[in-house]
Amino acid sequence: MAALRAKLPDLLGRDCGAGLRIAQADDFAYTDPVDGSVSTRQGVRLIFDGGSRVVFRLSGTGTEGATLRVYLERFEPDASRHDLPAQTALAELIRIADEIAAIRSHSGMAMPTVIT
């Protein structure tokens, strides 16, 4: 995550191919609506023109041994593509997420352990 956060200033406006250009890249914070407290460094967001996004978050209490969660979202207006397997429909975002965050090289894993 530290290496990914260090890349943030250079990601804005990046053309990632497949019609995906990064419109916003940040390390987001959460503001509790009840008490107004702010929790910073909640994860890295890459938001693309058109609204697609990739979010990287760590779960666990520390950075060692934490689980990296990667959330991928892309609007698909073509109803004939709604039944595609998620891995197929999100293939370009998966490629971009791995390319930018170097997930395979940092983790040594070729694929996720859990896909939902």
Side-chain angles (χ1 to χ4, degrees), residues 3 7 11 25 32 46 65 70 73-74 76 84 86 95 97 102 108 110-111:
K7 292 180 181 181
L11 294 177
D32 188 292
L46 305 178
V70 181
E73 296 178 348
R74 186 170 194 179
E76 178 53 68
L84 287 175
R95 175 190 60 79
M111 61 184 296

Side-chain angles (χ1 to χ4, degrees), residues 30-49:
Y30 172 76
T31 302
D32 188 292
V34 176
D35 66 12
S37 63
V38 178
S39 299
T40 59
R41 297 173 58 92
Q42 292 299 297
V44 170
R45 291 186 300 193
L46 305 178
I47 301 174
F48 299 85
D49 289 341

Side-chain angles (χ1 to χ4, degrees), residues 11 15 19 22 51 53 64 69 80 84 90 92-93 96 107:
L11 294 177
D15 182 351
I22 299 175
R53 67 183 180 161
E64 293 297 320
R69 296 179 185 269
S80 71
L84 287 175
L90 298 170
E92 287 302 318
L93 289 178
I96 292 165
S107 70

Side-chain angles (χ1 to χ4, degrees), residues 50-70:
S52 294
R53 67 183 180 161
V54 177
V55 178
F56 303 90
R57 296 193 71 198
L58 289 179
S59 64
T61 57
T63 57
E64 293 297 320
T67 298
L68 174 64
R69 296 179 185 269
V70 181

